Amino acid sequence: MVDPDRHRKVVNIDDPHAPFFIEQGNPEVPVVTFAMENKNIDVHPLKFALSLFEMQVLDNTPHGILEISSGLLGRHNIYNILAAVAVGIAVGAPLEDIVREIEEVDAVPGRCELIDEEQAFGVIMDYAPARELAPKRIITLIGCPVETDQGKRPMMAKIATDKSEVTFLTSDNPKTEDPLDILDDMLAGVRWSRWTMQDYLKYGENDYYPPLPNGHQLFLHDIRRVAVCCVVAMGEEGDMVVIAGKGHEIYQIEGDKKEFFDDCEECREALQYVDELHQAGIDTSEFPWR
């Protein structure tokens, strides 16, 4: 702002670095605070509800209570909404304008983006490998690009299999590296699993993949298009299918070839095809799906 009298600092008090940010700049500038955990601040949620398709947030502010409905998903977006409300309060925007502008925000492509083809379960495209959601069952597809530090590959697979009831490992821009070698690196991180890539290939020949000791299921396929179809086909009412890793990227690099590949487009096509199968009386919930 040009007018020094209207300068404000907007700070997330839940952030451990909040005191540092507050101390920056002119100490006379008023601070507008927001948080989820700390209730003794300017903007905080009195309550909120997350679902597979939207969120409802009841925000307390110094000027009144705001009821906000948003198509943004995940707990992290509650923080984003609180930050937007705090900025609105800081600049003196009318409460009704704050609510309207927040509710009109669409999801950023590839960032916790909901794919809706009127299916009975949620499908989310995300660039990050994990978000906080609250479905009946999480089905996660994840791959590691060739640039990924080999030490991170087992860690990413471990997190996915710990947090998701169903995990599907696949390729993601393998470039000149053998996709099966990348999957083998990821498989090494699966907790309690002593299976090798060769074990999985053997199980796949018999169309049987035994569950992990924690009861979760793990599948893999080196062709990403097939993997996307599989996870979509496995979705049931109340599930959340998470297609992680690519997000907004619309290409797949294999060898020296860079070809168009859009996870969002692949999901929509798979959902439409699976719906046709369901209408024909075909159950696609059990892997393997062809």
Side-chain angles (χ1 to χ4, degrees), residues 238-258:
D239 289 345
M240 178 60 77
V241 176
V242 180
I243 312 294
K246 279 192 174 298
H248 64 288
E249 292 180 354
I250 53 172
Y251 57 83
Q252 177 83 330
I253 305 176
E254 297 183 7
D256 58 356
K257 295 182 179 179
K258 182 177 182 179

Side-chain angles (χ1 to χ4, degrees), residues 31-152:
V31 178
V32 178
T33 56
F34 68 94
M36 285 188 65
E37 307 303 331
N38 190 328
K39 305 303 181 183
N40 297 316
I41 42 81
D42 297 316
V43 178
H44 65 269
L46 297 174
K47 63 179 181 179
F48 60 86
L50 302 176
S51 75
L52 301 184
F53 301 101
E54 65 178 1
M55 70 168 68
Q56 305 285 334
V57 185
L58 192 67
D59 280 347
N60 186 69
T61 80
H63 306 305
I65 296 174
L66 305 183
E67 295 185 31
I68 298 173
S69 298
S70 173
L72 301 177
L73 305 178
R75 184 183 176 93
H76 65 287
N77 272 321
I78 297 179
Y79 272 109
N80 288 335
I81 288 175
L82 292 174
V85 171
V87 170
I89 295 297
V91 301
L95 297 185
E96 59 271 18
D97 289 352
I98 296 174
V99 173
R100 183 183 66 255
E101 294 300 325
I102 290 175
E103 293 186 338
E104 289 181 354
V105 172
D106 294 325
V108 176
R111 296 299 193 275
C112 216
E113 178 185 2
L114 182 68
I115 307 300
D116 186 7
E117 292 292 324
E118 299 184 356
Q119 70 274 10
F121 54 93
V123 178
I124 281 181
M125 305 286 307
D126 202 9
Y127 190 72
R131 298 286 190 183
E132 294 188 56
L133 304 167
K136 178 186 74 176
R137 185 176 65 156
I138 297 177
I139 302 173
T140 298
L141 178 146
I142 188 171
C144 290
V146 70
E147 295 90 348
T148 305
D149 181 347
Q150 287 190 347
K152 293 181 180 179

Side-chain angles (χ1 to χ4, degrees), residues 142-172:
I142 188 171
C144 290
V146 70
E147 295 90 348
T148 305
D149 181 347
Q150 287 190 347
K152 293 181 180 179
R153 293 173 180 175
M155 184 187 310
M156 293 173 69
K158 176 184 179 299
I159 293 172
T161 53
D162 283 350
K163 301 293 186 180
S164 306
E165 283 75 13
V166 180
T167 300
F168 212 117
L169 307 183
T170 190
S171 61
D172 184 353

Side-chain angles (χ1 to χ4, degrees), residues 146 158 177 181 187 192 194 206 211 228 244 276 287:
V146 70
K158 176 184 179 299
E177 191 170 357
D181 289 341
L187 194 59
W192 313 117
R194 297 180 181 178
N206 299 321
V228 170
E276 293 175 2
F287 188 86

